Amino acid sequence: MLKPQITATREKLNLDGIWSFALESTDVPKPWTGALPGKLDAPVPASYNDLFADSKIRDHVGWVWYQRTARVPRGWAGERILLRLDSATHEGAVYVNDTPVASHEGGYLPFEADITDVVSAGEEFRLTVGVNNMLTASTIPPGTVKTLSDGRKQQSYMHDFYNFAGLHRSVWLYSVPATHVDDVTVITRLDGTTGLVDYNVSLTGDAEVKVSLVDEAGTTVATGEGASGTLEVTDAHLWQPGAAYLYSLKVEAVSDDALVDEYRVNVGIRTVEVKGNQFLINGEPFYFTGFGKHEDIAVIGKGHNDAYLVHDFQLIDWIGANSFRTSHYPYAEEVMDYADRHGIVIIDETSAVGLNSKISGGIADFASMMSGGAEGEEGFGEAMATAHKREIRELIARDKNHPSVVMWSIANEPDTMAEISEAYFEEMFAYARTLDSTRPYTFVNVMMAPPNVCKASKFADVLCLNRYYGWYLMGGDLASAEQGLEAELRAWEQMYGKPMIMTEYGADTVAGYHSIWDQPWTEEYQTNMLEMYHRVFDRIESFAGEQVWNFADFQTSSGFFRVDGNKKGVFTRDRKPKAVAHSLRSRWTAIRDNKDNA
């Protein structure tokens, strides 16, 4: 599914703004058959949970409804007219006037409908979108819903971030010609200094395909004909971490020498490879520095916001980081595009988080589980496998052409202690590799599954580990934590010899809380704990990266273990630096400068 764009043959219309809004209720039996009742409005994009001074809306479990009118531009007569939602968390149902046109499961990936036959150029139509936030045993991520004695529904889930819901990303109306480019896949390789760009174009309809590759100066550097082929770029400018260079691949569908359709794809020429215990980009060892992040902003929740996008990337650059993981779901496409343009490296993760009943809201009895873990089914059955494969398939289809994406992560902290998980993840990894064989694959290992216990690490190309020595385990005792951490990392290295990345490590920290002692929750403890981890990392030969948990404080479900959210951020939720930000900046800029001077 190609992202809408404006070209010589295509147009698009953004439908963001203020929409009418209503909760599912007996007063709203079929909201798509007329105007929504009541006078509530909600912005798109945004989560709806924190917008209103009404706990019934914040705590609502089930469907909500968005509605607006839209007009098809009169110049679109004779074109195919499509409606695209960049996401609907977690399930969407779309109606044009009284007609159902689309439905989709999975809250962080786009879906669309061809509505040509139910709208007319120049005329208005009523657009209604239902969004369902319920998580069940067969959804990704999973959860449970119970009905209380008073009839209210109550949602629970295992992942440690708030279940924000709504239309979190943009809604688009766009046009394409009847014969049009349906999909483009780009794979890049190197032969010495020559860049090789393999392309494959899928068409709807019958036309000839012509392609041209244009550099940043606007010069055409290679051309080709046919739906597939290879373009050669002499002395290619490489896309590199911190030094992005993007070519533009112009794809044209031509019939009788007339242009029928045009689409453009940004191309970063680079290679990615795992070799021994090293992660290589363009044949050179790469060391990840950065964060696990969240799409999380006060008031608008997981709603995409361009101002925060730019500011967050500025902070990433200021602190000297070169990467992040899209924990624990695919981020907005605008984020991926921005990373492409600015040379930030991404570990791209599915929304398969919470596949572990031993963790509830991020809290677990780690100490009692470190001896080997317990058995469990964790829903690793047919229904979960079907949903999980859908998430993998749709993520790769959306993000396959982004040069910033150097690795796929298929799950975060699943219960890989369970015997059943071995066959399950063998199947998931094998399926993923049929979709893209050009990038390494990983999943993120939970602390209760050390190397002698984990059933799934054998299938990963890179070991991604979440560890909390000094916090959930050996909390307040950094000397013991340092010994425990190093002993485990050396065990991983000895058993697998693969590159290792610490994808989560950190301590909850209240901004402004200080102590002269190693007191948990203080800014000093957070700094000292991370510096302890760094000493250990520097002693492990197979170590290939460090991504602190988390970039910024974020909202979680309410409870006694989380007071106004997770406080492990290097920055506060409103992006003010804690003391550890300056410590990280000193380390990461030195790593960056040493690489630049090498």
Side-chain angles (χ1 to χ4, degrees):
M1 185 190 308
L2 295 175
K3 184 179 180 181
Q5 63 179 225
I6 298 173
T7 70
T9 60
R10 296 170 174 240
E11 294 184 357
K12 65 179 181 178
L13 179 66
N14 184 268
L15 299 183
D16 294 353
I18 301 296
W19 293 47
S20 297
F21 180 83
L23 300 183
E24 173 189 42
S25 72
T26 55
D27 299 327
V28 192
K30 292 183 178 180
W32 57 90
T33 60
L36 291 182
K39 296 186 178 297
L40 286 179
D41 293 320
V44 175
S47 301
Y48 63 78
N49 306 83
D50 289 351
L51 296 175
F52 306 98
D54 186 345
S55 61
K56 290 182 179 179
I57 299 176
R58 179 178 172 82
D59 300 334
H60 176 73
V61 178
W63 289 91
V64 300
W65 297 95
Y66 292 80
Q67 191 176 83
R68 62 161 293 167
T69 59
R71 184 181 296 275
V72 180
R74 62 183 181 180
W76 290 9
E79 300 290 289
R80 305 304 299 177
I81 300 167
L82 291 94
L83 178 70
R84 173 186 164 111
L85 289 83
D86 285 348
S87 72
T89 308
H90 295 277
E91 179 182 6
V94 186
Y95 299 81
V96 170
N97 297 322
D98 297 345
T99 303
V101 296
S103 62
H104 182 261
E105 294 183 10
Y108 301 98
L109 290 164
F111 62 105
E112 66 182 20
D114 187 327
I115 62 172
T116 309
D117 295 337
V118 293
V119 297
S120 298
E123 295 186 5
E124 278 192 341
F125 63 93
R126 184 179 67 252
L127 175 60
T128 307
V129 179
V131 180
N132 180 15
N133 69 348
M134 287 197 296
L135 299 173
T136 69
S138 60
T139 62
I140 297 283
T144 57
V145 177
K146 65 179 180 180
T147 302
L148 305 179
S149 59
D150 60 3
R152 288 179 297 125
K153 293 177 181 178
Q154 189 174 77
Q155 175 80 67
S156 61
Y157 44 89
M158 281 68 77
H159 57 268
D160 186 29
F161 55 94
Y162 191 79
N163 189 39
F164 284 114
L167 294 177
H168 290 152
R169 299 168 190 166
S170 289
V171 180
W172 302 93
L173 195 65
Y174 74 101
S175 68
V176 297
T179 296
H180 59 271
V181 177
D182 186 58
D183 194 22
V184 181
T185 301
V186 174
I187 297 171
T188 64
R189 299 173 288 132
L190 290 174
D191 182 6
T193 61
T194 298
L196 303 176
V197 179
D198 301 328
Y199 67 90
N200 189 283
V201 178
S202 174
L203 286 182
T204 295
D206 186 23
E208 298 176 6
V209 174
K210 295 184 179 181
V211 300
S212 56
L213 194 68
V214 180
D215 67 16
E216 290 188 352
T219 302
T220 298
V221 295
T223 61
E225 295 186 2
S228 62
T230 300
L231 304 179
E232 295 188 5
V233 184
T234 304
D235 295 326
H237 290 274
L238 300 186
W239 188 96
Q240 300 187 68
Y245 190 96
L246 293 177
Y247 294 86
S248 177
L249 180 70
K250 182 169 70 171
V251 180
E252 296 178 313
V254 177
S255 180
D256 295 328
D257 294 326
L259 179 65
V260 175
D261 190 26
E262 176 188 314
Y263 195 85
R264 294 176 183 254
V265 176
N266 285 333
V267 175
I269 298 176
R270 61 102 181 96
T271 62
V272 177
E273 180 186 7
V274 171
K275 191 172 184 179
N277 64 0
Q278 292 185 321
F279 193 100
L280 306 179
I281 298 179
N282 299 327
E284 297 292 330
F286 178 73
Y287 190 86
F288 293 78
T289 59
F291 303 96
K293 287 182 89 278
H294 267 299
E295 293 184 316
D296 177 276
I297 307 170
V299 181
I300 65 175
K302 291 194 177 305
H304 176 71
N305 182 278
D306 283 339
Y308 269 92
L309 165 67
V310 172
H311 186 56
D312 284 358
F313 272 84
Q314 284 292 307
L315 293 178
I316 288 171
D317 180 68
W318 171 84
I319 208 169
N322 61 25
S323 66
F324 62 85
R325 174 171 59 117
T326 68
S327 47
H328 304 293
Y329 40 83
Y331 291 176
E333 286 172 278
E334 290 85 352
V335 176
M336 317 306 285
D337 291 338
Y338 201 92
D340 288 344
R341 296 196 302 273
H342 292 272
I344 299 299
V345 170
I346 294 176
I347 301 173
D348 206 357
E349 190 163 86
T350 74
S351 53
V353 57
L355 279 64
N356 195 334
S357 63
K358 298 175 181 66
I359 301 176
S360 180
I363 306 299
D365 184 0
F366 287 99
S368 66
M369 295 178 180
M370 286 299 291
S371 59
E375 295 296 328
E377 293 302 307
E378 305 306 339
F380 292 140
E382 185 176 349
M384 181 62 72
T386 298
H388 199 164
K389 286 180 178 178
R390 180 198 67 226
E391 294 297 307
I392 294 170
R393 181 174 62 252
E394 293 186 7
L395 172 64
I396 292 175
R398 193 196 74 167
D399 290 347
K400 62 187 175 183
N401 293 328
H402 288 288
S404 59
V405 175
V406 300
M407 184 160 56
W408 305 111
S409 172
I410 68 172
N412 178 75
E413 295 191 343
D415 182 6
T416 56
M417 298 161 281
E419 288 292 338
I420 196 173
S421 70
E422 182 171 359
Y424 179 89
F425 279 98
E426 183 177 20
E427 180 182 356
M428 290 302 112
F429 275 98
Y431 177 73
R433 288 186 171 106
T434 66
L435 303 173
D436 178 19
S437 62
T438 69
R439 292 175 175 89
Y441 285 86
T442 190
F443 79 101
V444 178
N445 168 278
V446 70
M447 191 165 183
M448 312 88 99
N452 62 320
V453 172
C454 182
K455 311 295 183 187
S457 291
K458 67 183 76 173
F459 306 120
D461 299 302
V462 176
L463 301 174
C464 287
L465 310 174
N466 292 352
R467 293 297 181 267
Y468 289 97
Y469 289 94
W471 191 250
Y472 296 121
L473 191 67
M474 305 171 186
D477 182 358
L478 294 183
S480 295
E482 185 166 356
Q483 295 172 15
L485 174 64
E486 183 166 358
E488 187 188 344
L489 295 184
R490 292 198 181 280
W492 283 105
E493 184 175 49
Q494 181 177 3
M495 186 168 183
Y496 287 101
K498 298 178 180 180
M500 289 186 285
I501 303 172
M502 189 64 67
T503 39
E504 288 187 24
Y505 63 111
D508 283 281
T509 305
V510 176
Y513 180 31
H514 298 281
S515 175
I516 61 172
W517 301 288
D518 268 341
Q519 183 69 37
W521 292 89
T522 64
E523 294 193 42
E524 288 78 13
Y525 187 81
Q526 184 184 36
T527 300
N528 293 339
M529 180 175 159
L530 265 60
E531 289 178 348
M532 176 273 286
Y533 273 75
H534 298 154
R535 290 195 298 272
V536 175
F537 298 164
D538 291 344
R539 296 196 291 263
I540 305 296
E541 182 182 349
S542 297
F543 230 75
E546 55 198 57
Q547 293 184 331
V548 176
W549 191 255
N550 189 283
F551 173 75
D553 295 344
F554 58 93
Q555 192 56 260
T556 65
S557 59
S558 59
F560 295 102
F561 295 103
R562 294 285 184 234
V563 180
D564 194 29
N566 190 305
K567 295 293 195 295
K568 293 187 180 69
V570 169
F571 299 93
T572 61
R573 198 178 186 206
D574 62 351
R575 281 39 177 188
K576 300 297 190 298
K578 299 176 187 177
V580 73
H582 298 280
S583 173
L584 286 169
R585 184 171 190 255
S586 176
R587 174 177 171 83
W588 288 348
T589 54
I591 291 173
R592 183 174 64 186
D593 292 344
N594 287 338
K595 179 184 179 301
D596 291 342
N597 295 328

